[in-house]
Amino acid sequence: MLSEEEFIELCSKYKTHELTEAEYRKLRMWVDGSEENYRFFSNYVKLYKAEMRAETYRQADSSKGWQAIERKRRAYRLRQRLYRVVVAACLLTAVILGAFYFNSYDETPVVEKPVTLAEVFPDLPKNKVTLTLSSGQQIVLDKDSVQAISDNGLAIASGSNTSLNYQKVAANDVSVPQYNTVTVPEGSTFTLTLSDGTQVTLNSSSVFRYPVAFKGDRCVELIGEAYFDVTHDGTSFVVKVDNKEVEVLGTSFNVSGYSKKSMITTLVKGKVEVKSGGRRRLLLPGEQATVDDEKGVIDIASVDTELYTSWVSGKYDFTETPLSKILRQLELWYGVRIVYKDPQVRDLHFDGTVFRNKPLGFSLEIIRQVSDVRFDREDGVVFVSLHK
């Protein structure tokens, strides 16, 4: 089993072709150890190769290339004249260095190991979700142990710091409609099962309001991002995001509505209808609808749904994705603030995967190893810049 520091060191050596045979076998054994390890390392290789291609493109300059060729041609004759002098100097230097080595003491100098970002950002975020009952009472779900939850004297659910499961409560048992609200802060994700069996996974910085028991059509409200696996019971299920709606009859889909001006719905399976301001568009599996209130349109595009729903399983897949978008996801997951010292860093594109069950520093270290991006931490703020 490799530690994070060993893995990062081996990857760095792999990139520069400095692995010994023993180190290569150790890395190969780790990669072959599981499908997740293989996928992670494959994405790492894609990541640094993509950056190498981009760097090669940035440095390409035909006019400078011809100038370099001309300089080399002029320098050729001079190098021929100096060749013998240089050989003699090298031989003399080798003799001097050899004498110094064999006459010096045998103590091996101590090389200070550079601090990795995994050491600078060692902590994983801890879930601390707030449940607001219909009575106004607030319960902080920050314990691993499961606790029973009642609302106005009625037992409704059991929950912990990772999930909340509602009982099947008959609508007749609730004289007045009762709504609960789950607030997920930055650095947290949360899963809940509604009373009809629908499963909802909430991303960081999300607020979700829903009835304790459904009567007739089912309607919930969302600010933020959530993945829905809706139970089919013959009634419609509506997700409201400000003045926009997604209506389904039993399906799996992702809704991202952090901004009041836009909403993105990604359909995995089933069928949904997206509504906004009198406009309606039907989505099929593998399609994504983007609602733009400022433009007054609903755009439909075919997408790789895995890229937009992978966060549910605790990872974030990305392909040709700007660094700013990757770091925005890390901001949500880890509850940190990102500040760009060099604005051009935002537009660097990467392929790869980051995992939420790893410390923030682990993902940042991988990005740093395959690019010229620098990360510094100061008072909880992550500063992003280019190596000068």
Side-chain angles (χ1 to χ4, degrees):
M1 183 66 182
L2 291 178
S3 67
E4 292 180 4
E5 290 76 13
E6 288 176 320
F7 175 73
I8 291 171
E9 182 180 1
L10 291 178
C11 283
S12 179
K13 287 186 176 182
Y14 177 88
K15 184 177 66 172
T16 56
H17 307 287
E18 296 177 347
L19 282 175
T20 65
E21 185 176 348
E23 288 172 332
Y24 175 79
R25 285 198 301 269
K26 183 185 292 187
L27 179 60
R28 184 78 246 180
M29 186 177 298
W30 183 87
V31 171
D32 294 337
S34 70
E35 181 65 27
E36 181 178 328
N37 290 354
Y38 176 80
R39 180 186 178 89
F40 186 85
F41 184 72
S42 297
N43 283 324
Y44 172 86
V45 173
K46 291 179 183 178
L47 194 67
Y48 88 74
K49 285 186 177 179
E51 180 61 23
M52 287 174 62
R53 289 195 299 270
E55 181 63 27
T56 300
Y57 177 79
R58 287 195 297 268
Q59 292 180 355
D61 188 320
S62 59
S63 62
K64 289 183 179 180
W66 284 112
Q67 292 173 10
I69 292 174
E70 180 63 21
R71 286 197 302 270
K72 289 181 179 179
R73 188 184 66 80
R74 291 197 301 267
Y76 178 75
R77 292 181 180 179
L78 177 61
R79 286 203 305 273
Q80 289 294 311
R81 291 197 298 269
L82 293 176
Y83 178 75
R84 294 180 182 178
V85 177
V86 170
V87 169
C90 288
L91 289 174
L92 179 60
T93 301
V95 171
I96 294 173
L97 290 177
F100 174 79
Y101 175 80
F102 286 111
N103 287 284
S104 63
Y105 50 85
D106 295 331
E107 182 179 345
T108 303
V110 178
V111 179
E112 185 177 351
K113 186 178 180 181
V115 177
T116 66
L117 290 172
E119 295 172 290
V120 178
F121 302 91
D123 301 325
L124 285 170
K126 295 181 180 179
N127 274 10
K128 194 174 182 180
V129 173
T130 301
L131 170 64
T132 304
L133 303 177
S134 61
S135 62
Q137 177 188 357
Q138 291 190 333
I139 301 174
V140 178
L141 301 172
D142 59 355
K143 296 182 175 60
D144 294 332
S145 57
V146 177
Q147 58 179 312
I149 296 172
S150 297
D151 193 358
N152 286 320
L154 179 66
I156 57 170
S158 58
S160 66
N161 63 343
T162 58
S163 64
L164 185 60
N165 299 306
Y166 279 78
Q167 301 172 8
K168 290 186 177 180
V169 179
N172 294 332
D173 294 338
V174 183
S175 57
V176 179
Q178 295 182 6
Y179 284 84
N180 286 181
T181 302
V182 166
T183 303
V184 184
E186 286 187 340
S188 298
T189 56
F190 196 71
T191 300
L192 67 153
T193 303
L194 302 179
S195 60
D196 66 340
T198 294
Q199 293 187 335
V200 185
T201 303
L202 297 167
N203 207 348
S204 302
S205 301
S206 297
V207 179
F208 185 60
R209 185 174 182 267
Y210 51 93
V212 170
F214 292 104
K215 186 175 182 178
D217 290 342
R218 298 166 290 173
C219 184
V220 298
E221 301 171 29
L222 171 69
I223 299 173
E225 184 171 25
Y227 181 84
F228 294 86
D229 192 351
V230 179
T231 299
H232 177 63
D233 68 357
T235 63
S236 65
F237 189 100
V238 176
V239 180
K240 290 187 175 182
V241 180
D242 197 35
N243 62 338
K244 298 167 280 292
E245 293 183 2
V246 180
E247 182 176 357
V248 303
L249 280 175
T251 189
S252 298
F253 62 100
N254 192 86
V255 178
S256 181
Y258 286 108
S259 170
K260 288 186 176 182
K261 297 179 181 179
S262 65
M263 177 184 74
I264 300 174
T265 303
T266 307
L267 181 61
V268 177
K269 62 181 180 180
K271 187 183 295 185
V272 303
E273 186 176 45
V274 178
K275 307 174 186 179
S276 177
R279 300 179 298 276
R280 295 170 177 256
R281 294 294 299 271
L282 195 64
L283 275 186
L284 298 177
E287 291 185 335
Q288 183 181 82
T290 301
V291 179
D292 190 325
D293 283 346
E294 289 186 335
K295 295 181 179 179
V297 297
I298 302 177
D299 291 323
I300 306 293
S302 296
V303 298
D304 179 359
T305 59
E306 179 68 18
L307 294 176
Y308 295 91
T309 62
S310 59
W311 66 268
V312 178
S313 60
K315 64 179 181 178
Y316 176 49
D317 292 329
F318 46 91
T319 302
E320 283 296 309
T321 303
L323 181 62
S324 59
K325 189 172 181 180
I326 299 171
L327 295 184
R328 175 55 185 157
Q329 185 65 59
L330 298 184
E331 276 186 304
L332 291 173
W333 273 359
Y334 297 97
V336 298
R337 182 178 167 224
I338 304 289
V339 174
Y340 296 89
K341 287 186 174 180
D342 295 317
Q344 63 268 37
V345 177
R346 292 172 173 268
D347 297 324
L348 294 178
H349 285 64
F350 294 91
D351 295 342
T353 301
V354 293
F355 295 90
R356 191 176 185 273
N357 63 352
K358 298 288 187 182
L360 171 61
F362 184 79
S363 298
L364 296 183
E365 182 68 29
I366 297 298
I367 295 173
R368 184 177 76 168
Q369 289 287 339
V370 300
S371 68
D372 291 330
V373 179
R374 175 190 175 97
F375 299 99
D376 296 292
R377 182 178 188 176
E378 185 177 328
D379 296 329
V381 178
V382 180
F383 292 94
V384 188
S385 58
L386 284 173
H387 279 292
K388 304 299 185 182

